[in-house]
């Protein structure tokens, strides 16, 4: 197993629109991120992943890009970005960006040219058809939109204003590679590749939807045969020439393909975010997680990667509702379940990713009214479910549990004003629990979610076995307990997380030494509800 800086790193994801507002307009910005760099140093972060700050009309909060080489006005300027990059590097950290290669905004100059006429040189840079297929968009509704100017349909797997680019066109690919290299030459340390498993499509056997409903033909949009050729070319023309980290958002990729996608010898990128854990709870199910199913998914990924590739470890991001409100208990056992989930994933083999606010246990917001939600995916979901005849209350129940807006409420820095995020009303309402659930309050409590995350990070940095050691599932008598060992030639460590509000009888193995416990001190005879521990074991 090769040792690299990105395997040993802890990554923190910043959603800049909601992280810190520096100028009082209610919108987070690059100067706001700069103001909080020392906070990330305090936490122990090595790499910052910043979500899109490129020029954008903001239909999808920056993932609809109108200029890949400019900064969104409300985020600041390119000078602000350069100062941020310099500030990150001076503090010994690295900075990676979101690289959005599947689509652009419909306001991007490329698309403006493409839609201007059927014989425009950039017409084939996007995907046009006389008749649409019956694909459903990932954001609900049809994946094809009719363009009045040229009387054809264009493809968008996401929002209507996010047309997909055509990777079959070599000129388009060269333009994307040139843009990527421009950022690498600027000094960024890598990329998270957005929606990368969707860049190749299969158009076979997809009938015209006239008079029919739309079907979610994900297999036609996801990890289609031939995609690896595109990704190898991307790697060779860009990333391979630099010492950077790459992690792909790779919905649909399975453990059977792990060597081709992220193998150390021939992989097209360094890590990928798998989606299988997303589907362990349906949108209309109550909170909680099937722990046996979770063990099955994560152990399969751990074992498949062992010795040949590297996992990206995560439980939250900007596209998921808050984990403590979905897998845990955000009421009675809020602190305990937030940290139990943290212990569970953080010490596996792979690079841990922390999403902003996760380190203080931020929860889903109690937004009852649809008007409080801003996310285009959420609003489309409501519109199309209503058109299907589903009752308002049933749709709202799913939105209140699963909307992406829950992960995008402003960061809760303090318990006064607008939570320390801004001096004016934020673009998206704060979660009202900011008055007690915030960074300032948790800094004072040694058993807070924040301080336990600090201890988790420090423990991983101080024990190489928790980075490079082999993973093995550890069987207990209890379905609700996720336990595993990490072992190398020198050390062996046991990690246990009780992921339910159940009391479980437990006696530590003989000679075990407690390294960390989210209750502070262990009960030698039981694991309490949502209790998590890390032990040093005898070799």
């Amino acid at each position: 197993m090769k040792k690299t800086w990105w395997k040993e790193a802890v990554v923190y994801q910043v959603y800049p629109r909601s992280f810190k507002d520096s100028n009082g307009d209610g919108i987070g910005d690059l100067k706001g991120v700069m103001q909080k760099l020392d906070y990330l140093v305090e936490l122990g972060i090595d790499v910052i992943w910043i979500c899109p700050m490129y020029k954008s009309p903001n239909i999808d909060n920056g993932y609809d890009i109108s200029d890949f080489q400019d900064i969104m006005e409300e985020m600041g300027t390119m000078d602000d970005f350069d100062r941020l990059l310099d500030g990150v590097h001076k503090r010994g950290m690295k900075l990676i960006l979101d690289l959005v290669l599947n689509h652009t905004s419909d306001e991007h100059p490329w698309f403006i040219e493409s839609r201007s006429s059927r014989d425009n040189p950039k017409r084939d840079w996007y995907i046009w058809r006389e008749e649409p297929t019956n694909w459903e968009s990932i954001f609900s509704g049809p994946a094809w939109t009719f363009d009045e100017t040229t009387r054809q349909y264009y493809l968008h797997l996401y929002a209507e204003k996010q047309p997909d680019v055509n990777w079959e066109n070599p000129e388009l690919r060269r333009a994307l590679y040139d843009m990527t290299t421009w950022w690498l030459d600027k000094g960024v340390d890598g990329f998270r590749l957005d929606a990368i498993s969707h860049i190749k499509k299969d158009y076979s056997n997809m009938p015209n939807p006239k008079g029919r409903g739309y079907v979610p033909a994900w297999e036609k949009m996801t990890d289609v045969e031939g995609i690896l050729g595109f990704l190898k070319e991307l790697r060779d023309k860009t990333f391979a020439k630099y010492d950077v980290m790459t992690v792909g958002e790779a919905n649909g990729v399975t453990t059977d393909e792990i060597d081709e996608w992220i193998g150390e010898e021939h992989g097209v990128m360094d890590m990928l975010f798998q989606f299988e854990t997303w589907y362990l709870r349906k949108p209309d199910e109550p909170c909680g997680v099937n722990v046996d199913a979770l063990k099955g998914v994560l152990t399969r990924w751990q074992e498949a990667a062992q010795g040949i590739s590297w996992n990206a470890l995560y439980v939250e991001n900007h596209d998921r509702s808050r984990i403590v409100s979905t897998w845990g208990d955000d009421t009675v056992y809020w602190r305990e379940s937030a940290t139990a989930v943290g212990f569970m994933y953080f010490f596996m083999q792979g690079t841990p990713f922390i999403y902003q606010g996760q380190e203080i246990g931020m929860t889903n917001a109690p937004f009852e009214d649809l008007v409080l939600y801003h996310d285009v995916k959420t609003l489309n979901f409501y519109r199309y479910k209503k058109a299907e005849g589903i009752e308002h209350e049933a749709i709202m129940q799913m939105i209140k549990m699963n909307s992406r807006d829950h992960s995008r409420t402003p960061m809760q820095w303090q318990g006064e004003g607008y939570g320390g995020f801004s001096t004016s009303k934020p673009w998206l309402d704060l979660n009202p629990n900011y008055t007690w659930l915030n960074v300032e309050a948790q800094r004072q409590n040694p058993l807070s979610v924040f301080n336990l995350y600090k201890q988790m990070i420090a423990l991983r940095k101080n024990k190489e076995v928790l980075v490079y050691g082999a993973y093995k599932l550890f069987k207990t008598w209890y379905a609700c307990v996720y336990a595993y060992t990490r072992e190398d030639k020198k050390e062996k460590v046991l990690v246990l997380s009780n992921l339910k509000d159940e009391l479980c009888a437990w006696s530590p193995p003989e000679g075990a030494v407690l390294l960390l416990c989210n209750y502070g001190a262990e009960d030698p005879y039981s694991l309490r509800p949502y209790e998590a521990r890390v032990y040093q074991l005898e070799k």
Side-chain angles (χ1 to χ4, degrees):
M1 178 68 67
K2 298 175 184 176
K3 295 184 178 181
T4 68
W5 62 265
W6 46 266
K7 289 178 181 176
E8 297 169 10
V10 174
V11 184
Y12 187 96
Q13 182 189 354
V14 169
Y15 195 75
R17 192 173 181 83
S18 297
F19 193 58
K20 182 68 174 76
D21 171 21
S22 72
N23 61 3
D25 65 356
I27 299 169
D29 47 48
L30 295 179
K31 287 182 178 178
V33 179
M34 184 76 181
Q35 290 175 3
K36 293 299 182 180
L37 291 183
D38 291 334
Y39 166 78
L40 299 178
V41 172
E42 175 190 355
L43 186 59
I45 298 304
D46 304 291
V47 178
I48 300 169
W49 154 26
I50 188 166
C51 288
M53 68 295 153
Y54 312 104
K55 189 174 180 181
S56 168
N58 265 323
I59 296 301
D60 189 22
N61 285 0
Y63 282 92
D64 50 319
I65 298 167
S66 56
D67 189 336
F68 289 104
Q69 291 168 242
D70 199 0
I71 302 297
M72 192 187 313
E73 186 175 343
E74 57 197 22
M75 291 288 165
T77 66
M78 190 61 75
D79 285 343
D80 293 332
F81 176 82
D82 290 341
R83 282 190 286 271
L84 173 62
L85 181 61
D86 184 59
V88 169
H89 288 163
K90 283 181 176 176
R91 287 166 174 81
M93 296 185 290
K94 296 181 184 291
L95 184 69
I96 68 170
L97 305 182
D98 250 303
L99 189 61
V100 184
L101 300 178
N102 179 71
H103 50 268
T104 69
S105 165
D106 66 349
E107 297 182 28
H108 194 290
W110 297 348
F111 189 72
I112 292 172
E113 283 194 54
S114 183
R115 80 189 313 177
S116 65
S117 69
R118 292 195 182 194
D119 59 0
N120 186 277
K122 287 189 172 60
R123 181 66 170 183
D124 192 46
W125 285 34
Y126 292 83
I127 301 164
W128 296 91
R129 292 289 184 275
E130 291 288 346
E131 293 289 341
T133 65
N134 62 352
W135 289 357
E136 181 182 49
S137 161
I138 292 169
F139 281 2
S140 302
W144 296 88
T145 290
F146 185 68
D147 180 67
E148 290 284 353
T149 302
T150 56
R151 312 296 294 175
Q152 282 189 325
Y153 294 83
Y154 67 85
L155 178 69
H156 53 90
L157 296 189
Y158 292 90
E160 182 178 325
K161 291 178 69 63
Q162 290 172 287
D164 282 37
V165 296
N166 180 18
W167 270 74
E168 307 296 335
N169 185 299
E171 292 182 357
L172 177 277
R173 297 202 303 274
R174 281 195 295 272
L176 292 176
Y177 303 158
D178 288 346
M179 175 272 296
T180 302
T181 301
W182 186 85
W183 283 105
L184 290 167
D185 287 341
K186 194 176 255 296
V188 302
D189 301 292
F191 299 101
R192 176 262 193 183
L193 287 78
D194 180 71
I196 198 64
S197 59
H198 299 311
I199 61 172
K200 189 170 179 65
K201 285 82 174 175
D202 175 5
Y203 305 101
S204 63
N205 303 315
M206 297 298 294
N208 186 331
K210 289 178 180 177
R212 303 178 55 185
Y214 297 100
V215 297
W218 309 127
E219 73 278 3
K220 300 289 187 178
M221 309 175 180
T222 304
D223 191 20
V224 171
E225 185 177 355
I227 191 174
L228 288 168
F230 287 153
L231 294 176
K232 287 173 183 175
E233 183 181 82
L234 169 65
R235 176 199 63 195
D236 293 343
K237 298 287 187 182
T238 59
F239 316 136
K241 302 173 184 179
Y242 302 81
D243 179 21
V244 295
M245 67 173 279
T246 53
V247 53
E249 182 190 30
N251 189 7
V253 177
T254 68
T255 52
D256 292 337
E257 305 166 276
I258 206 166
D259 190 39
E260 296 174 303
W261 275 77
I262 56 173
E264 286 201 341
E265 296 302 319
H266 308 293
V268 292
M269 59 192 70
D270 297 321
M271 295 173 275
L272 60 80
F273 292 123
Q274 55 82 14
F275 275 56
E276 291 183 48
T277 53
W278 287 42
Y279 308 124
L280 296 181
R281 185 183 58 78
K282 294 183 175 64
D284 56 352
E285 288 181 340
C287 64
V289 63
N290 181 326
V291 182
D292 273 338
L294 183 65
K295 293 175 190 176
V297 170
L298 293 181
T299 297
R300 179 158 38 81
W301 279 89
Q302 287 285 299
E303 292 176 347
Q306 207 141 264
I308 63 167
S309 57
W310 199 252
N311 278 295
L313 309 173
Y314 79 109
V315 291
E316 283 195 20
N317 63 30
H318 63 291
D319 283 334
R320 300 189 71 173
S321 51
R322 291 292 182 176
I323 202 69
V324 68
S325 298
T326 51
W327 286 5
D329 176 350
D330 62 9
T331 56
V332 177
Y333 292 106
W334 157 73
R335 185 195 66 83
E336 293 83 0
S337 63
T339 51
V341 171
F343 276 50
M344 181 276 299
Y345 91 98
F346 196 85
F347 296 114
M348 292 182 182
Q349 189 180 80
T351 297
F353 287 70
I354 298 169
Y355 178 67
Q356 68 181 48
Q358 178 187 331
E359 79 279 13
I360 58 170
M362 282 179 63
T363 67
N364 282 1
F367 294 161
E368 296 290 334
D369 197 319
L370 185 65
V371 74
L372 296 173
Y373 293 90
H374 291 224
D375 171 37
V376 62
K377 183 179 182 182
T378 296
L379 300 179
N380 279 359
F381 177 82
Y382 181 89
R383 179 158 59 102
Y384 284 102
K385 290 297 180 185
K386 200 79 168 70
E388 292 172 11
I390 300 178
E391 293 294 326
H392 168 81
E393 287 304 324
I395 306 171
M396 287 305 300
Q397 191 61 37
M398 289 186 275
I399 286 173
K400 285 187 282 186
M401 179 61 76
N402 297 286
S403 173
R404 301 191 303 176
D405 278 323
H406 291 305
S407 62
R408 301 171 182 192
T409 57
M411 182 68 181
Q412 297 167 200
W413 297 104
Q414 61 189 44
E416 299 174 350
Y418 292 105
F421 166 73
S422 180
T423 56
S424 63
K425 182 176 173 59
W427 70 277
L428 180 66
D429 280 8
L430 281 152
N431 189 320
N433 66 12
Y434 78 90
T435 56
W436 62 269
L437 198 169
N438 58 71
V439 172
E440 186 176 66
Q442 291 195 26
R443 273 187 166 132
Q444 315 307 317
N445 178 0
L447 283 179
S448 67
V449 182
F450 173 75
N451 278 309
L452 281 164
Y453 263 88
K454 282 180 67 174
Q455 292 175 65
M456 286 160 53
I457 293 169
L459 183 60
R460 184 180 185 274
K461 289 180 184 294
N462 290 329
K463 281 198 170 293
E464 188 173 274
V465 66
L466 291 175
V467 179
Y468 294 109
Y471 166 101
K472 185 177 181 181
L473 192 66
F474 183 93
K475 293 185 179 180
T476 70
W477 292 105
Y478 301 98
C480 63
V481 176
Y482 195 142
Y484 58 91
T485 58
R486 300 294 307 281
E487 185 173 7
D488 61 17
K489 293 179 180 179
K490 298 178 182 178
E491 292 187 278
K492 187 174 184 178
V493 172
L494 171 64
V495 180
L496 300 103
S497 288
N498 181 359
L499 297 176
K500 299 289 183 183
D501 60 348
E502 300 176 15
L503 187 69
C504 303
W506 165 258
S507 296
E510 187 175 350
V513 176
L514 184 69
L515 299 176
L516 195 59
C517 175
N518 68 341
Y519 272 72
E522 65 180 322
D523 177 339
Y525 304 109
S526 64
L527 281 174
R528 292 157 286 194
Y530 294 105
E531 183 166 6
R533 301 178 189 173
V534 182
Y535 288 103
Q536 183 87 44
L537 300 184
E538 292 182 340
K539 279 283 285 182

